[in-house]
């Protein structure tokens, strides 16, 4: 079996929503796989890398050799920069290869990864936009999410990364209000999205400890590893980070700085292959890996397969949906039932595409199409 076609394309969701950056790999035996890159700036840079740099190396390759392909692609164009858009391109290819492999072998990806510790996966509600909301508005949004039955809630603040410590007292007030709303024992997490100085992070972190929050995510700028070390050393609450790290070495630096939970993302870190290496590293150091993942379709489903197979994993999977607008392109979208996502025995990722619906939204990659 050989790869015969590489399709890099956008899916336009309309109504001013972001485009998704997808890739489809097809073979001479009629089997194909679907993958997704990180959507930052619509994934334009990742799609260009796939179309111009990676496609020539993929054509004629054996799609079952996922690790060999990953390593060759990574090192062939290393000087592009191993992080960001390049890692996103590698992720899209790798996810598509695993989907293809599962279909070729008639097995779900979770089984190819070594089996599932659990196939009914609880989720945590990942609720963004709370920096600009009032306390009452934050509580109303959390109340709406609680109807879906999450096992945990994370409130995200989507901070302006050019400013720090904008409203420490207001952020703490929102954290207190959410705790009162859900009760003393319900698990909560807090994501500042890189919004604080070291001193501001320690102040907020101490309040979160008092309120019994489970983890404190990205309290400082992601590239200030030494600042993470200072915050983690000063606090008892678990400090987490990693959604903006793209390589095994980047995750290692965070672990060595004292971060308690690492959170790499499958659409940013080389797909199943890259994320699997990071999981092994986290296990070696004895810390938790809780993947970040906010894409509602391919990325989310791939992450569920990974979390299902993650050794002794006990944290819920991140969920940023529901996104009905994206579900329409699949005949078998993955949706929560009674607070859990249940993985099937369907081969690959288990996502059956509605080609007619996808065709209405699909824009083949070109630099001119990206600019429109």
């Amino acid at each position: 079996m050989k790869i015969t076609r590489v399709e890099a394309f956008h899916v336009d969701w309309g109504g001013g929503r972001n485009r998704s950056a997808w890739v489809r790999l097809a073979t001479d035996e009629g089997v194909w796989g679907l993958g997704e890159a990180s959507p930052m700036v619509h994934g334009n840079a990742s799609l260009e890398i796939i179309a111009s740099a990676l496609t020539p190396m993929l054509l004629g390759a054996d799609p079952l050799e996922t690790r060999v392909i990953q390593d060759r692609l990574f090192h062939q164009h290393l000087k592009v920069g191993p992080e960001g858009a390049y890692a996103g391109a590698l992720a899209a290819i790798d996810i598509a290869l695993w989907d293809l492999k599962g279909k070729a072998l008639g097995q779900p990806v979770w089984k190819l990864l070594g089996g599932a510790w659990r196939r009914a996966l609880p989720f945590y509600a990942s609720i963004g936009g709370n920096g600009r909301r009032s306390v009452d508005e934050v509580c109303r949004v959390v109340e709406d999410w609680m109807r879906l039955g999450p096992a945990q809630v994370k409130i995200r603040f989507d901070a302006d990364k050019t400013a720090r410590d904008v409203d420490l007292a207001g952020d703490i007030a929102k954290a207190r209000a959410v705790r009162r709303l859900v009760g003393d024992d319900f698990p909560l997490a807090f994501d500042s999205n890189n919004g604080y100085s070291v001193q501001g992070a320690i102040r907020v972190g101490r309040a979160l400890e008092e309120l019994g929050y489970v983890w404190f995510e990205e309290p400082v700028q992601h590239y200030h590893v030494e600042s993470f070390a200072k915050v983690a050393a000063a606090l008892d609450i678990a400090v987490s980070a990693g959604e903006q790290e793209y390589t095994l070495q980047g995750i290692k630096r965070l672990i060595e700085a004292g971060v308690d939970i690492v959170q790499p993302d499958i659409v940013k870190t080389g797909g199943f292959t890259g994320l699997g290496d990071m999981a092994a590293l986290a296990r070696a150091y004895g810390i938790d890996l809780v993947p970040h993942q906010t894409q509602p379709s391919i990325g989310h489903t791939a992450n569920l397969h990974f979390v299902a197979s993650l050794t002794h994993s006990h944290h819920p999977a991140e969920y940023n949906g529901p996104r009905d607008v994206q579900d329409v392109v699949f005949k078998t979208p993955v949706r929560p039932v009674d607070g859990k996502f249940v993985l099937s025995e369907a081969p690959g990722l288990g996502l059956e595409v509605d080609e007619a619906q996808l065709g209405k939204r699909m824009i083949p990659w070109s630099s001119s199409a990206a600019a429109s």
Side-chain angles (χ1 to χ4, degrees):
M1 184 164 55
K2 303 295 181 185
I3 297 172
T4 56
R5 190 171 72 254
V6 179
E7 295 178 272
F9 58 95
H10 277 127
V11 184
D12 190 344
W13 303 114
R17 298 179 179 89
N18 284 343
R19 295 176 176 182
S20 293
W22 290 5
V23 64
R24 178 152 48 183
L25 305 179
T27 70
D28 55 358
E29 296 185 10
V31 185
W32 57 268
L34 198 59
E36 180 171 18
S38 173
M40 298 299 101
V41 197
H42 309 305
N44 292 343
S46 291
L47 291 183
E48 174 58 32
I49 290 167
I50 291 169
S52 63
L54 304 186
T55 293
M57 296 183 67
L58 288 165
L59 294 175
D62 183 341
L64 301 185
E65 297 182 355
T66 46
R67 181 165 290 279
V68 171
I69 290 173
Q70 172 88 276
D71 198 61
R72 285 179 174 164
L73 294 179
F74 179 86
H75 286 97
Q76 180 67 24
H77 300 289
L78 191 62
K79 291 185 179 180
V80 172
E83 301 185 345
Y86 191 57
L90 294 175
I93 295 299
D94 190 76
I95 293 168
L97 287 170
W98 279 89
D99 185 33
L100 192 159
K101 183 191 297 190
K103 291 170 180 173
L105 300 177
Q107 298 292 336
V109 171
W110 59 259
K111 188 167 287 188
L112 297 180
L113 292 171
W117 291 92
R118 49 182 178 162
R119 285 172 55 190
L121 297 164
F123 68 91
Y124 75 80
S126 182
I127 306 172
N130 294 299
R132 59 182 178 271
R133 294 188 178 113
S134 68
V135 171
D136 288 344
E137 288 170 339
V138 172
C139 288
R140 282 198 294 272
V141 173
V142 172
E143 278 186 311
D144 287 342
W145 266 96
M146 292 297 286
R147 296 188 182 101
L148 291 178
Q152 178 177 312
V153 162
K154 180 174 78 179
I155 50 173
R156 306 191 333 251
F157 284 78
D158 301 311
D160 175 359
K161 292 178 175 58
T162 65
R164 299 188 302 175
D165 302 342
V166 173
D167 187 12
L168 298 179
D171 294 351
I172 292 170
K174 293 170 187 177
R176 290 189 187 281
V178 173
R179 170 52 75 204
R180 286 194 299 269
L181 174 68
V182 301
D184 292 340
D185 298 325
F186 188 84
L188 291 171
F190 185 105
D191 185 354
S192 86
N193 297 110
N194 318 109
Y196 303 136
S197 66
V198 169
Q199 295 76 20
I202 292 171
R203 176 181 167 186
V204 173
R206 286 176 178 155
L208 297 176
E209 289 174 346
E210 173 197 335
L211 294 167
Y213 274 62
V214 176
W215 76 67
F216 186 14
E217 187 169 335
E218 287 200 319
V220 294
Q221 285 283 13
H222 78 281
Y223 46 76
H224 284 157
V225 177
E226 296 83 359
S227 295
F228 274 108
K230 293 176 183 177
V231 174
L235 297 174
D236 293 327
I237 187 174
V239 173
S240 69
E243 72 174 81
Q244 296 178 90
E245 292 292 345
Y246 302 86
T247 64
L248 184 66
Q249 293 74 24
I251 294 297
K252 182 173 182 286
R253 285 190 290 271
L254 283 177
I255 293 172
E256 290 175 339
V259 166
D260 304 287
I261 299 172
V262 288
Q263 298 178 288
D265 190 315
I266 198 166
V267 301
K268 297 178 181 177
T269 55
F272 290 102
T273 302
L275 197 54
D277 287 346
M278 294 173 184
L281 181 68
R283 281 192 70 203
Y285 277 91
I287 71 163
D288 286 336
L289 182 139
V290 184
H292 173 272
Q293 177 46 229
T294 56
Q295 299 316 297
S297 53
I298 301 171
H300 172 66
T301 306
N303 187 59
L304 290 177
H305 281 259
F306 184 85
V307 171
S309 70
L310 189 57
T311 303
H312 302 171
S313 172
H314 60 279
H315 289 288
E318 185 168 18
Y319 182 44
N320 192 42
R323 303 281 184 86
D324 292 342
V325 69
Q326 294 203 23
D327 283 351
V328 298
V329 304
F330 297 107
K331 296 179 181 178
T332 54
V334 179
R335 293 180 176 140
V337 178
D338 297 328
K340 293 183 178 180
F341 289 93
V342 179
L343 292 175
S344 73
E345 295 273 358
L349 294 176
L351 290 170
E352 184 180 351
V353 173
D354 185 325
E355 294 290 351
Q357 291 292 337
L358 180 59
K360 295 176 184 178
R361 298 161 176 80
M362 184 175 176
I363 304 172
W365 168 255
S366 70
S367 55
S368 58
S372 63

